[in-house]
Amino acid sequence: MPPGLRQKNKGTNKDITCYFPQKKLDPYKGRLIVCGHGDLLHGGVYCLLSDDHGNRWRYGGTRKAIPYDQKKKKGDFDPDENQPLELPDGSILLNARNEYTYHCHCRVIMRSFDGAETFPLDYLRFDEKLIEPRAMASQWYSNGVLFFSNPAHETKRINLTLRWSYDNGTTWASSLTVWPQASGYSAMTMLSEDSGHLYILYEKGVKSSVESLSLAKVALYGGL
């Protein structure tokens, strides 16, 4: 983990979740982008950028919690665990946990058009379709389809659901229940040699979401 991001979380017992996408398109083709979140007082989204394959890192776009450097309460603005991905136009779509349920029990969506240098307020919104009980979620883009997975419930970590969108998350076409009972964090991927399946690794249980880890293989075009 880059030292700057570790320092941001120094002195707390809260780990930072990071993702390392590399831009495939302009602007800033080849850039590495790491986005994480701060601690309980210094909350918000923080991104680190590298344009030399990870040899040097610097801070990029941030969206700090409000209030900042102050104890939070329900209803405060604090985007937390998040995942960025690149869309076909080269922009960065960031989907974040809404830690203190500002505005809704739903996800915070941000967009950057300069390689995660900035996340303009004009492109920050709340997706009320993506309800959440405050948990990490996952998103994946492939062949014109944006996928999103999380426990789809406003207060409980249950009902892990896969949704998909054909317009970059403006609307959600449909959904699939992966596991209806206790479920929590999830992560998605595809194999380079298997474009017909989406793999979802997720926390799964009956009474508690942390009873086990499970891997779901979802056929995207029918069949096994």
Side-chain angles (χ1 to χ4, degrees):
M1 184 182 296
L5 194 55
R6 184 183 297 114
Q7 181 67 27
K8 177 61 68 175
N9 209 41
K10 187 176 181 180
T12 75
N13 59 3
K14 187 175 182 181
D15 292 332
I16 291 180
T17 301
C18 298
Y19 298 88
F20 291 74
Q22 184 175 33
K23 286 190 96 284
K24 298 179 180 179
L25 304 168
D26 288 325
Y28 304 106
K29 182 178 179 180
R31 169 174 287 177
L32 294 175
I33 301 173
V34 180
C35 295
H37 61 88
D39 58 26
L40 295 178
L41 288 180
H42 310 95
V45 169
Y46 301 84
C47 291
L48 292 177
L49 312 177
S50 175
D51 292 309
D52 58 5
H53 306 289
N55 291 311
R56 291 172 296 180
W57 294 86
R58 62 179 177 83
Y59 279 104
T62 64
R63 182 55 59 199
K64 294 182 178 180
I66 303 174
Y68 185 74
D69 197 18
Q70 185 177 334
K71 187 176 180 179
K72 309 296 187 297
K73 61 183 179 180
K74 185 176 181 180
D76 286 342
F77 175 72
D78 188 2
D80 199 76
E81 295 164 328
N82 61 83
Q83 184 174 0
L85 60 72
E86 185 174 29
L87 293 175
D89 64 356
S91 66
I92 300 298
L93 178 70
L94 188 141
N95 188 306
R97 169 175 171 166
N98 190 355
E99 182 63 19
Y100 293 97
T101 60
Y102 179 86
H103 180 75
C104 61
H105 290 265
C106 66
R107 305 291 293 182
V108 184
I109 310 298
M110 305 182 204
R111 193 91 172 262
S112 173
F113 298 90
D114 54 10
E117 296 278 359
T118 62
F119 289 94
L121 280 175
D122 287 353
Y123 293 93
L124 187 152
R125 63 186 180 89
F126 299 86
D127 194 331
E128 297 185 8
K129 182 71 173 179
L130 302 183
I131 59 173
E132 68 154 0
R134 299 187 303 144
M136 193 195 83
S138 182
Q139 58 178 354
W140 186 267
Y141 188 91
S142 176
N143 198 29
V145 184
L146 175 66
F147 297 95
F148 174 82
S149 65
N150 82 323
H153 193 279
E154 289 191 350
T155 57
K156 298 179 181 179
R157 291 188 177 184
I158 60 173
N159 193 34
L160 189 84
T161 299
L162 174 68
R163 302 180 190 273
W164 53 93
S165 169
Y166 302 114
D167 54 12
N168 299 334
T170 301
T171 61
W172 296 94
S174 192
S175 64
L176 170 71
T177 299
V178 178
W179 178 249
Q181 300 185 58
S183 45
Y185 288 20
S186 61
M188 290 188 286
T189 193
M190 295 179 72
L191 302 179
S192 58
E193 66 273 16
D194 180 12
S195 61
H197 292 90
L198 182 70
Y199 294 83
I200 309 173
L201 181 68
Y202 66 100
E203 296 175 327
K204 175 183 178 181
V206 177
K207 294 182 178 180
S208 169
S209 63
V210 295
E211 292 173 12
S212 67
L213 288 176
S214 184
L215 180 66
K217 180 180 180 181
V218 180
L220 301 181
Y221 307 109
L224 298 177

